Amino acid sequence: MCCAMNKEPDPVYQLNSVHKVFPENKGPVRILQDISFTVRAGESIAIVGSSGCGKTTLLQMMAGLDTPSSGEIIFRGENLQHLDWDAKSRLRNEGIGFVFQFHHLLPEFTTVENVSLPAMIRGEYKQDALDRASRALERTGIIRQAHQQVSTLSGGERQLTSIARAISLEPEVILADEPTGDLDPENGERVADLLIHQSRILRSTLVVVTHNHHLAGKMDRILGISSGEIHDYTHA
């Protein structure tokens, strides 16, 4: 009984000897080398490192938006390299919420319409998707902006909209790329706290790429990328 109670949560991600090389005219450039780590269910992880070190590339590979040059990325028991683009898209829609640094919102749509898109892609009826989006906007505190064009929103409001979109389907995993990077300190703190709070409410696994050491310090673990290699800085 004791052993069962102390069992670690199951892995959501397993990265095994992941390498990423970009071809260049002067020869291949190795961005990431021999990256191996495990992310367990409900865990929060910050990935830190200098600009250009490969943090965003790593996060995009974990989302199935990019592919490793070699190695394995296993998500929920599925080797992402063995899936075609459609299968990866379905896996993302079913289990991953992605928060982009630069939002990637559609300016011709309202806030609530942008947030409803993942549910509509899943095949939900339009009104059901809009209702789901409204609930996500309530949780992120910007329901009053639901019917504004996103082009009229402030930078902080756009990032909150991006988070609402990411959590609208209550994903198993939230991947966030520099979620506070384009914000002033006050809005950055608000967005960081909200992202962590929502991941805990949803019991989602949270992986954040960030330059913000204050945000990184709120995570369960801190992984750093330096010279293409990964290091665990949690207890440094």
Side-chain angles (χ1 to χ4, degrees):
M1 184 71 175
C2 177
C3 293
M5 291 178 62
N6 293 330
K7 181 186 175 185
E8 285 189 313
D10 291 335
V12 176
Y13 277 104
Q14 290 177 286
L15 281 76
N16 302 317
S17 298
V18 170
H19 294 254
K20 184 64 177 181
V21 179
F22 289 112
E24 297 285 349
N25 290 335
K26 296 181 180 179
V29 176
R30 186 174 298 278
I31 302 297
L32 299 169
Q33 53 186 354
D34 200 24
I35 302 291
S36 297
F37 63 93
T38 298
V39 182
R40 297 194 177 276
E43 193 172 26
S44 63
I45 292 179
I47 300 175
V48 301
S50 59
S51 295
C53 73
K55 303 187 302 297
T56 292
T57 298
L58 178 58
L59 201 70
Q60 289 176 340
M61 290 192 295
M62 291 174 69
L65 296 169
D66 197 354
T67 56
S69 302
S70 62
E72 295 180 326
I73 298 179
I74 311 296
F75 174 60
R76 299 197 308 194
E78 294 265 17
N79 189 330
L80 293 182
Q81 292 87 298
H82 294 168
L83 304 179
D84 62 22
W85 184 257
D86 288 342
K88 289 179 183 178
S89 296
R90 284 194 298 273
L91 206 61
R92 279 193 298 273
N93 187 256
E94 292 169 0
I96 299 174
F98 203 108
V99 181
F100 296 91
Q101 180 179 0
F102 299 111
H103 322 307
H104 293 291
L105 301 171
L106 300 177
E108 66 271 24
F109 289 171
T110 64
T111 303
V112 71
E113 287 170 340
N114 268 276
V115 176
S116 72
L117 287 175
M120 294 186 71
I121 290 170
R122 181 182 282 189
E124 290 190 9
Y125 290 114
K126 182 177 180 180
Q127 191 56 55
D128 291 341
L130 290 171
D131 290 345
R132 181 190 288 277
S134 294
R135 291 193 294 272
L137 289 170
E138 286 273 12
R139 293 203 298 268
T140 56
I142 54 168
I143 188 62
R144 290 183 180 179
Q145 290 83 359
H147 299 291
Q148 286 183 223
Q149 300 296 122
V150 293
S151 58
T152 68
L153 302 180
S154 68
E157 289 168 342
R158 292 183 193 190
Q159 192 60 295
L160 290 169
T161 301
S162 179
I163 292 173
R165 180 182 58 191
I167 67 172
S168 63
L169 295 181
E170 302 186 356
E172 181 179 353
V173 175
I174 300 170
L175 304 178
D177 185 11
E178 294 287 4
T180 64
D182 200 33
L183 303 176
D184 61 71
E186 183 178 348
N187 276 314
E189 184 77 7
R190 180 187 175 198
V191 164
D193 287 343
L194 178 77
L195 187 59
I196 294 167
H197 181 63
Q198 287 301 317
S199 72
R200 288 173 180 164
I201 287 176
L202 299 174
R203 298 182 180 178
S204 296
T205 303
L206 176 63
V207 182
V208 178
V209 159
T210 184
H211 282 103
N212 185 330
H213 292 287
H214 183 60
L215 171 57
K218 297 181 178 185
M219 304 289 112
D220 296 329
R221 291 166 60 201
I222 303 174
L223 303 178
I225 298 177
S226 177
S227 300
E229 299 179 344
I230 200 154
H231 310 274
D232 194 328
Y233 294 153
T234 305
H235 303 296

